[in-house]
Amino acid sequence: MMIRQRTLIASGALAAGALLAFAGTADAAVVKLSQSAAASQLSATGVTHSSSGGCTTRSNSTCTSYEQINQATVDGLRTLKSASKCAINVTGGTEVGHASGTYSHYNGYKADISRNGCIDSYVMNSFTHIATRSDGATRWRSSAGNVYANEGSHWDITYCGGNASCTAAASA
């Protein structure tokens, strides 16, 4: 009985250790989507997209690409559409030509959307105004930790998917 009890205790300790290790790396478990999977999910909820080049090629800066976009970013856009009841048109995704960084467009954390009166009002009345960015963009943070920057012609949105490090970086 004593050996079985020690085995159960050791097994429990290993399981707890594995769970803690997994919990510590939860932020690293980012799900990436293909162009077609992301486009399908977004169009199903009425989110549109456009590009100056009329294309979706990730390696072309005049395209609007979803290739390798994070599932959390797609979920965020779908939630924004549903909650705001506004027209959402994505004008920037994971294509080249945006600023680099860990929580960047290319790495799937950001999307640009067209500004319109409905979405402007929704963001500014629903989220918390935070410090203006060094380039002059005014910013708002949602309760989920996503950061919306008004860049004049569009909203630059960082969808953090609950990652506190991402929210801190986007809010700095």
Side-chain angles (χ1 to χ4, degrees):
M1 180 72 167
M2 183 66 91
I3 292 173
R4 180 164 164 70
Q5 195 171 27
R6 283 187 189 154
T7 302
L8 288 174
I9 290 170
S11 296
L14 285 173
L19 183 59
L20 288 174
F22 178 73
T25 59
D27 287 345
V30 175
V31 175
K32 301 289 186 178
L33 297 175
S34 67
Q35 173 69 33
S36 60
S40 176
Q41 289 183 37
L42 290 168
S43 66
T45 56
V47 174
T48 61
H49 70 279
S50 60
S51 71
S52 58
C55 50
T56 61
T57 306
R58 190 170 194 218
S59 60
N60 183 337
S61 64
T62 66
C63 297
T64 298
S65 177
Y66 296 143
E67 189 64 37
Q68 295 298 298
I69 197 167
N70 296 343
Q71 179 69 61
T73 302
V74 170
D75 291 345
L77 289 165
R78 294 171 64 199
T79 299
L80 180 63
K81 170 70 175 159
S82 174
S84 70
K85 311 270 190 281
C86 299
I88 305 294
N89 181 57
V90 178
T91 59
T94 61
E95 66 280 350
V96 298
H98 299 281
S100 61
T102 303
Y103 305 110
S104 65
H105 280 273
Y106 194 80
N107 289 334
Y109 288 88
K110 288 187 163 212
D112 292 339
I113 64 168
S114 300
R115 289 188 56 205
N116 61 56
C118 181
I119 199 62
D120 289 355
S121 178
Y122 180 80
V123 170
M124 292 186 271
N125 291 312
S126 301
F127 304 142
T128 303
H129 184 263
I130 60 175
T132 299
R133 214 166 55 188
S134 62
D135 64 0
T138 54
R139 295 180 299 170
W140 283 261
R141 183 173 47 232
S142 73
S143 59
N146 303 316
V147 177
Y148 295 70
N150 180 344
E151 293 189 343
S153 63
H154 65 273
W155 287 100
D156 175 78
I157 310 168
T158 307
Y159 286 106
C160 292
N163 179 328
S165 298
C166 172
T167 298
S171 300

